[in-house]
Amino acid sequence: MVLSPGEHNDQFYLAQVPIRVKDSTEKPPLASLESEISVPEFLDEDAVSNINLWMSSTSSRSSIHYDPYRNVLGVVMGQKKVTLWPPDAAPYLYPKPLYGEASNHSEVNFVEPDYQKYPRFRDASKHSLVLVVDAGSAVFIPEAWFHQVDSAALTIAVNFWWASKQSYAFDTPMDSYYLRRILMSLLDAEKVNKQQLSMQFTYIVLQRSMLGWNPHVDVEGDLDDVQGVEDLTVNSLSSLETKQLHVILSCVAVAVNNGNCEDDPVANVFLNTSPRSLRRIFLTMVTTFPRSLEALVLHALSPVAAELLTKQFEEMDSIASEASQGEFYKHFYSVFDDSSVAMAALLDRKEAFASKALDSVMEKFLGYKLH
């Protein structure tokens, strides 16, 4: 703040004024204060890279942000209220894009949040921890934890920054590998989220267990027990399997006529059907509705449905014998003129599903929209 001669202003805010900047060639503005400050005993003084002064004459509020350091914030005079969020709360806080100047800050104006633009922020408080720090006390803020600080009037504080051991692993030739591993981990979690399994799958597993269904011990018998494909007809199916078959056939008919089924009922069938029942339904389609099975795979599967279908195939593979499952795939792909086209269609939709999940990861954690 710069005042003209004769002017005065009793309101001021000093933010992050350096007292110590390790390895800097320039003397920090408040270097003379360092001799008056004792580094907390639990810290390695040589490891502390920065010491900063914070001072406000009136109450003040910081934005929501994170720092790439570990931080001990000590209050000398006054009081601070610190709200903390763990790193995995980033989707609720909408971090700014990485290419921006303030990429470690949230885009949300938390004082008057625009919930239409930032709907996830409604749930941000559920993931937060609020601490009040009085004079003579300090708070540890872990590296990468988002925080927002309210300062009372006439508050003075000093903070200490130091790098974590994990941070020394970066700026190496391994950075690109770490990036891919981290993105893949977030992508896998987001794919599960996109399938709405975090809540729905828990409910389904609980419901199945109450009925005695176990994914590895089917209540109707082993997968290898399924009768021959030539013996399977619509009349062979249970009433529930018949309803599920009807849902699939109805959506195929809509897709063939260039329409879309609302709420993706085919994906719901794949999610809510046991591997044994789904295999019976598919084998019935092989004998009775071969063209509908072909159209299902080539034209009617959404990206989510394709992901769930391949998960079902993996579940079947883990339960059935290799010979039995090999026979199933032989019949399943027999309805296609070229089985490689069917496999390519499934793969394309799986990759489309993964692409959407990656879009969500980039937007939620990096503030960047790919499309």
Side-chain angles (χ1 to χ4, degrees):
M1 179 181 295
V2 179
L3 301 178
S4 302
E7 287 186 317
H8 73 278
N9 193 324
D10 58 1
Q11 296 184 14
F12 63 86
Y13 177 58
L14 302 179
Q16 194 181 320
V17 183
I19 296 172
R20 175 199 290 186
V21 181
K22 192 174 182 180
D23 299 328
S24 173
T25 56
E26 297 183 5
K27 186 177 181 180
L30 298 180
S32 59
L33 289 182
E34 186 170 357
S35 61
E36 304 294 324
I37 295 172
S38 298
V39 174
E41 293 180 359
F42 55 84
L43 295 182
D44 178 357
E45 183 161 355
D46 291 336
V48 174
S49 58
N50 295 71
I51 302 176
N52 303 301
L53 177 72
W54 307 76
M55 183 183 300
S56 59
S57 63
T58 59
S59 59
S60 62
R61 313 190 84 172
S62 78
S63 63
I64 299 173
H65 66 286
Y66 67 87
D67 296 309
Y69 310 99
R70 292 178 173 177
N71 183 9
V72 167
L73 174 64
V75 176
V76 178
M77 174 181 174
Q79 184 185 81
K80 287 181 179 284
K81 185 177 78 171
V82 181
T83 304
L84 295 166
W85 291 267
D88 60 2
Y92 303 98
L93 303 175
Y94 295 87
K96 293 190 176 204
L98 284 179
Y99 52 76
E101 291 297 318
S103 60
N104 62 322
H105 287 249
S106 166
E107 288 191 335
V108 182
N109 175 3
F110 67 92
V111 178
E112 296 180 351
D114 182 347
Y115 291 120
Q116 190 167 12
K117 187 175 182 181
Y118 306 109
R120 293 191 300 270
F121 190 72
R122 288 184 183 276
D123 296 320
S125 62
K126 298 177 183 178
H127 304 269
S128 67
L129 174 66
V130 180
L131 301 170
V132 175
V133 188
D134 292 310
S137 299
V139 60
F140 170 59
I141 303 175
E143 177 184 7
W145 278 57
F146 288 86
H147 50 283
Q148 185 276 317
V149 182
D150 289 343
S151 299
L154 298 175
T155 294
I156 301 173
V158 173
N159 85 295
F160 305 84
W161 277 337
W162 72 100
S164 66
K165 292 180 179 179
Q166 290 87 343
S167 66
Y168 290 119
F170 298 114
D171 296 325
T172 74
M174 293 292 285
D175 280 3
S176 60
Y177 168 72
Y178 293 145
L179 175 63
R180 293 182 67 86
R181 282 292 303 272
I182 291 168
L183 283 176
M184 184 58 69
S185 176
L186 293 172
L187 177 59
D188 287 344
E190 185 62 20
K191 285 164 72 174
V192 173
N193 183 55
K194 285 290 183 185
Q195 295 170 50
Q196 297 182 336
L197 294 183
S198 55
M199 292 293 292
Q200 193 173 5
F201 184 72
T202 302
Y203 169 74
I204 291 165
V205 170
L206 176 62
Q207 190 178 50
R208 286 171 169 175
S209 64
M210 291 172 65
L211 294 172
W213 187 84
N214 182 296
H216 297 289
V217 183
D218 200 302
V219 293
E220 299 178 44
D222 196 295
L223 269 177
D224 295 339
D225 237 359
V226 177
Q227 64 198 100
V229 64
E230 64 279 354
D231 301 322
L232 275 170
T233 65
V234 174
N235 292 332
S236 307
L237 302 178
S238 69
S239 59
L240 179 58
E241 289 169 345
T242 302
K243 290 178 182 178
Q244 292 163 327
L245 172 60
H246 176 73
V247 169
I248 293 173
L249 294 175
S250 297
C251 280
V252 168
V254 171
V256 168
N257 289 290
N258 298 317
N260 290 303
C261 289
E262 292 184 6
D263 301 323
D264 207 348
V266 171
N268 284 328
V269 167
F270 293 163
L271 182 63
N272 290 285
T273 306
S274 72
R276 185 177 192 276
S277 286
L278 191 60
R279 198 164 89 156
R280 284 167 54 84
I281 292 169
F282 283 148
L283 290 176
T284 299
M285 293 182 73
V286 168
T287 57
T288 313
F289 307 103
R291 299 285 67 81
S292 293
L293 179 57
E294 180 184 36
L296 170 69
V297 174
L298 297 182
H299 307 294
L301 289 182
S302 69
V304 175
E307 178 73 12
L308 288 168
L309 177 56
T310 54
K311 295 291 185 187
Q312 281 279 18
F313 284 165
E314 290 170 5
E315 191 67 36
M316 293 178 194
D317 292 345
S318 70
I319 300 171
S321 68
E322 186 175 344
S324 174
Q325 195 62 1
E327 192 68 16
F328 164 72
Y329 287 131
K330 175 183 175 183
H331 290 299
F332 182 88
Y333 287 110
S334 69
V335 304
F336 302 95
D337 294 332
D338 186 345
S339 62
S340 64
V341 173
M343 294 177 185
L346 275 174
L347 180 60
D348 286 346
R349 287 182 176 82
K350 272 179 62 68
E351 290 183 349
F353 173 76
S355 177
K356 288 183 177 180
L358 182 59
D359 284 351
S360 292
V361 167
M362 297 295 285
E363 186 270 327
K364 288 180 179 179
F365 293 95
L366 304 180
Y368 182 71
K369 295 181 180 179
L370 291 175
H371 301 103

